[in-house]
Amino acid sequence: MSGSRTDARRRLRTQFLLPGGLLAVAALGTLALVFPGASAQASTTAKASVVSSSVKACGSINLKGVSTTHNTGNPFKSTKLVCFDGMLIRYGDSAITYSNPPASYATAGKLLFDQTCSSCHGSEANGVSPSGAATIGPNLQGVGAATVDFWVTTGRMPATDIAAVEAEPKPPRLTDKQALEVAAYINSLDPSVPAVPVANLKGADVAVGADLFQLNCAACHTITGAGDALAFGTNAPSLQDRKVTAQQVAEAMRIGPANMPRFSGNLSDSQVRDVVAYVTEKIQHPSNPGGVGLGGVGPVAEGFIALLLGVGGLALVCFWIGERS
């Protein structure tokens, strides 16, 4: 009797419970594979629709030279994006907001461009003269509003010496608003990025900015930001000049003017903000805890002066003691 009961239990386990358990595990595994995949597909579709909608609202934008890394100056890879009526208005994140000048500025910008820029860059800012020959100035279409604003507000353009190796910074001929007007006109010919960046310095980490400056900028601008000579008669300008604004520092990092590299995908908006904060706070307003700053020319020159005064003073003291003896 007991043997038959044992056989019945064994058949129950082998014929019903074990196959049922295996089927249940297989069913659960199938559900785990199917439903996350479906949700991921829905998420991807939703995200793609948002991006597609944004691209359509922003119109055609030239992204040449812009990284696809998140929050590095690409409007479609930024946390915030605002477009209206086929135009890119602004984009960025909590660290930097990039804004294009109003489209209404383009009319006045066209007049200013014709008066101050067209002789070198062509009437259409494309680097081509009316005769079809190349102009002395480069093609400006597709450079972005930030590029135009930087060169004009720093006084490098309009150039005073078109034969110079590089355009030197000088007091600007145009006001800040006029610079934006010219930028609006040029950008209307080929809507591009970067737009004009404004850094939110309240949340910046100056210590991180100092490390990034030493790693990426000090080789040319020196560790104190005093600037230095480069090859072929070019120079890395001084950043100690307080006329250099936070906006211009951010613009330079994103556009890479002249010999300067363009920091696009390798530095995030937050890191650019940190560098801008370090330049405008520590380099332009040094505390000099070690004593007299001596113009911030750097440790080598400062050490030479210390050696000259120290050793020279000791030599004079020794000479004076010898004379008294």
Side-chain angles (χ1 to χ4, degrees):
M1 188 73 174
S2 61
S4 63
R5 289 180 178 176
T6 302
D7 292 339
R9 291 173 180 172
R10 185 179 296 112
R11 284 195 301 271
L12 179 64
R13 288 197 301 268
T14 56
Q15 295 180 6
F16 297 101
L17 295 180
L18 184 58
L22 292 174
L23 288 174
V25 171
L28 291 174
T30 302
L31 290 174
L33 290 174
V34 171
F35 281 98
S39 63
Q41 183 178 2
S43 175
T44 303
T45 304
K47 184 177 181 181
S49 66
V50 170
V51 172
S52 177
S53 174
S54 299
V55 171
K56 184 177 180 181
C58 295
S60 177
I61 299 175
N62 188 339
L63 300 176
K64 181 181 178 180
V66 179
S67 171
T68 57
T69 305
H70 191 63
N71 283 335
T72 56
N74 187 325
F76 302 113
K77 296 294 182 178
S78 297
T79 303
K80 302 175 182 178
L81 174 64
V82 178
C83 297
F84 179 73
D85 196 21
M87 293 182 291
L88 175 62
I89 306 301
R90 62 180 179 272
Y91 59 96
D93 55 12
S94 60
I96 295 180
T97 298
Y98 300 83
S99 301
N100 274 322
S104 58
Y105 279 16
T107 302
K110 166 65 174 172
L111 296 176
L112 288 169
F113 181 87
D114 290 340
Q115 295 169 2
T116 60
C117 314
S118 61
S119 60
C120 291
H121 296 281
S123 59
E124 298 296 329
N126 57 359
V128 179
S129 66
S131 64
T135 58
I136 192 170
N139 178 14
L140 298 180
Q141 293 187 16
V143 299
T147 302
V148 179
D149 184 73
F150 173 84
W151 285 90
V152 175
T153 59
T154 58
R156 290 175 168 85
M157 291 291 153
T160 54
D161 183 5
I162 59 176
V165 176
E166 67 176 0
E168 295 291 337
K170 59 185 181 299
R173 288 177 55 185
L174 303 181
T175 65
D176 290 347
K177 182 181 178 181
Q178 288 175 323
L180 290 177
E181 289 173 343
V182 175
Y185 166 67
I186 294 176
N187 200 50
S188 69
L189 302 174
D190 183 9
S192 312
V193 291
V196 179
V198 176
N200 177 21
L201 300 182
K202 292 182 179 179
D205 190 328
V206 178
V208 172
D211 292 338
L212 291 170
F213 183 88
Q214 294 173 17
L215 180 63
N216 297 282
C217 315
C220 294
H221 294 279
T222 75
I223 194 65
T224 62
D228 204 354
L230 302 177
F232 307 109
T234 60
N235 296 274
S238 172
L239 301 177
Q240 297 174 356
D241 187 354
R242 296 181 183 179
K243 294 179 181 179
V244 177
T245 66
Q247 179 173 302
Q248 291 168 354
V249 176
E251 286 174 336
M253 296 184 70
R254 283 303 189 219
I255 69 174
N259 287 342
M260 182 173 170
R262 183 176 185 176
F263 294 96
S264 180
N266 57 335
L267 289 181
S268 66
D269 288 339
S270 177
Q271 291 174 318
V272 170
R273 174 184 63 177
D274 293 339
V275 174
V276 171
Y278 174 70
V279 170
T280 56
E281 293 179 23
K282 298 301 181 181
I283 289 183
Q284 295 182 356
H285 302 84
S287 58
N288 297 321
V292 180
L294 299 176
V297 292
V300 175
E302 292 172 359
F304 176 77
I305 293 176
L307 183 65
L308 177 64
L309 296 179
V311 175
L314 288 175
L316 290 175
V317 170
C318 292
F319 180 78
W320 177 73
I321 293 175
E323 286 292 317
R324 288 180 62 85
S325 300

